[in-house]
Amino acid sequence: MTPGQPGGAVIAGLGLTPMGKVFDQTGPQLAVQAVTAAVRDAGLVLDDLDGLLVNPGITRCIDIKLQRDLGLQNLSLSSEIQSFGSSAAVMVSIAAQAITAGTATAVVCVFADTPVRAGKGSGAAYTDPVTRLRPGFAGLPAAGGLLGPNVGYALAARRHMDTYGTTSEQLGAVAVSTRAWATMNPLAQMRTPIGIEDHQQSRMIVDPLHLLDCCLVSNGAVAVVLTAADRARDLAKPPVHIHGYGQSHPGYRDERGSEFGLTTGAVESGKQAFAMAGVTADQIGVREIYDCYTFTTLITLEDYGFCEKGEGGKFAESGALAPGGALPTNTGGGQLSGYYMWGMTPLSEAIIQARGEAGDRQVDNHDLVLVSGNGGILDHHSTLILSPHPKA
């Protein structure tokens, strides 16, 4: 394989810890558990690793000192990656580039976070008290009550509604379809079926976002191991091939003419990934979208070209995303109902689907699986296209 081509590296191992209200382990302990499970899943041992990429989450509970906790020595690649929710795909692309270039042979990418505290509401984890102390104009949003991501995503959703006529019930259709998938996932935190009425009656968080429009907050860790495709043929699990990847960081300005809430980095990162993979949106069998909010699923699907701009609400309302629908999306329950491990949530389910290991929720057409990452408040975006088959 020519250096720099994504087909030279594959995902060979996946490790997950328990998710949710996990209070008996620290972030580093969860990270070690996930890495150990991923290495075992691949049929390797820890000493086979020569690369470590770490995404520390909102609590920054882990960093590259995790190497010591794992007992790893003589690494040729070690770095902390922070692109927020887009970090998982960024880590995978960096690991793939290192492997295809020959500068590493087996790289583990790990995310761990422990934002949930016993006796405290999960929303407290993402309230940034520092914003209240920022001087000058930087403190104006906080002074006006714009604290935390809920407000930012509510503004984006409202702009889409005002521009395209998207309704709260259409956002609810995303929540309902995602929960339907979660009922078939034993790892999901929320497995009780819901309907549109449940969504509409759930309490308002920030207008127009109801409680069931907002993702979970979870403690836990996920790790994936990458190695060369030729080596993976002799390992424990079927390899998941990386056909394409891309990034985009829009840099929205808070001023007239901004595309905030109307267009995301999925447009450009999707173009990059589709071009590298040599495929188009209509060839994708499974979509694993970063769904920190129902709105994020809707606009990301639009920007990848799975439906026309402004038609995401009607698309979700049609049932296309749900089990039995034409375009299966967030098949493990996503972050709304499954578990919230930043970009590792869509990545982990994509690997499970590509391997054909999803049980009752397995999608028949899993030849091409798209993974979407989103970070900040629509500020950062990443895309992966994965497959159980080598790239032609």
Side-chain angles (χ1 to χ4, degrees):
M1 180 61 62
T2 302
Q5 293 299 308
V10 298
I11 298 170
L14 170 66
L16 302 95
T17 69
M19 308 290 182
K21 295 179 179 180
V22 181
F23 302 131
D24 60 344
Q25 296 184 73
T26 66
Q29 288 172 332
L30 289 166
V32 168
Q33 182 180 337
V35 170
T36 303
V39 169
R40 185 187 311 116
D41 184 62
L44 298 170
V45 297
L46 284 171
D47 285 345
D48 290 320
L49 298 176
D50 60 0
L52 172 65
L53 297 176
V54 172
N55 180 214
I58 192 70
T59 62
R60 304 193 67 82
C61 61
I62 60 171
D63 55 29
I64 57 176
K65 291 191 292 290
L66 184 66
Q67 176 181 353
R68 296 179 181 179
D69 296 321
L70 291 165
L72 300 177
Q73 294 182 313
N74 301 316
L75 296 180
S76 58
L77 173 65
S78 177
S79 186
E80 180 180 315
I81 305 298
Q82 186 57 285
S83 297
F84 301 112
S86 65
S87 299
V90 172
M91 288 194 292
V92 168
S93 66
I94 291 171
Q97 290 165 16
I99 290 166
T100 56
T103 58
T105 62
V107 181
V108 66
C109 307
V110 58
F111 168 89
D113 208 1
T114 54
V116 185
R117 296 287 183 264
K120 292 188 177 181
S122 59
Y126 279 79
T127 299
D128 178 10
V130 177
T131 59
R132 300 186 175 124
L133 305 176
R134 290 176 182 168
F137 288 110
L140 286 178
L146 300 180
L147 293 170
N150 290 336
V151 177
Y153 279 95
L155 286 172
R158 177 57 68 190
R159 189 176 191 199
H160 196 278
M161 288 174 156
D162 290 346
T163 302
Y164 299 115
T166 308
T167 67
S168 176
E169 289 81 2
Q170 289 171 341
L171 295 179
V174 175
V176 171
S177 68
T178 308
R179 181 64 64 86
W181 286 110
T183 64
M184 298 181 281
N185 183 3
L187 297 177
Q189 290 180 231
M190 309 297 290
R191 301 184 65 193
T192 302
I194 59 172
I196 294 296
E197 191 61 27
D198 296 303
H199 172 270
Q200 291 293 289
Q201 291 181 357
S202 66
R203 63 186 174 89
M204 190 68 73
I205 301 300
V206 181
D207 186 34
L209 300 178
H210 291 261
L211 176 65
L212 291 178
D213 287 308
C214 305
C215 70
L216 302 163
V217 180
S218 311
N219 292 351
V222 182
V224 297
V225 173
L226 283 80
T227 191
D230 55 356
R231 182 185 191 185
R233 286 194 290 267
D234 299 322
L235 296 182
K237 288 293 182 75
V240 176
H241 296 265
I242 304 162
H243 285 206
Y245 47 74
Q247 294 183 49
S248 178
H249 310 271
Y252 298 112
R253 295 178 181 271
D254 294 332
E255 59 187 37
R256 186 187 300 272
S258 170
E259 289 296 301
F260 176 74
L262 303 179
T263 303
T264 73
V267 174
E268 291 303 322
S269 72
K271 286 180 182 178
Q272 294 171 29
F274 285 133
M276 185 181 290
V279 300
T280 56
D282 60 2
Q283 293 175 267
I284 301 296
V286 186
R287 285 138 293 275
E288 305 298 349
I289 305 296
Y290 194 99
D291 59 337
C292 48
Y293 298 86
T294 53
F295 170 70
T296 318
T297 300
L298 185 151
I299 192 171
T300 305
L301 289 169
E302 290 180 353
D303 288 346
Y304 279 135
F306 292 111
C307 62
E308 295 296 323
K309 175 52 67 177
E311 295 295 314
K314 294 178 181 178
F315 188 62
E317 204 170 33
S318 74
L321 313 182
L327 281 85
T329 298
N330 290 347
T331 55
Q335 298 162 323
L336 293 169
S337 291
Y339 46 85
Y340 186 54
M341 292 285 104
W342 282 18
M344 283 293 192
T345 298
L347 176 59
S348 58
E349 177 65 14
I351 294 168
I352 292 168
Q353 285 287 337
R355 288 176 168 181
E357 297 178 341
D360 292 341
R361 69 186 190 279
Q362 181 64 53
V363 177
D364 290 337
N365 177 15
H366 57 275
D367 289 340
L368 290 169
V369 183
L370 181 141
V371 180
S372 175
N374 165 67
I377 303 177
L378 305 175
D379 294 307
H380 311 285
H381 211 97
S382 59
T383 306
L384 292 173
I385 297 176
L386 306 179
S387 176
H389 311 296
K391 184 179 177 183

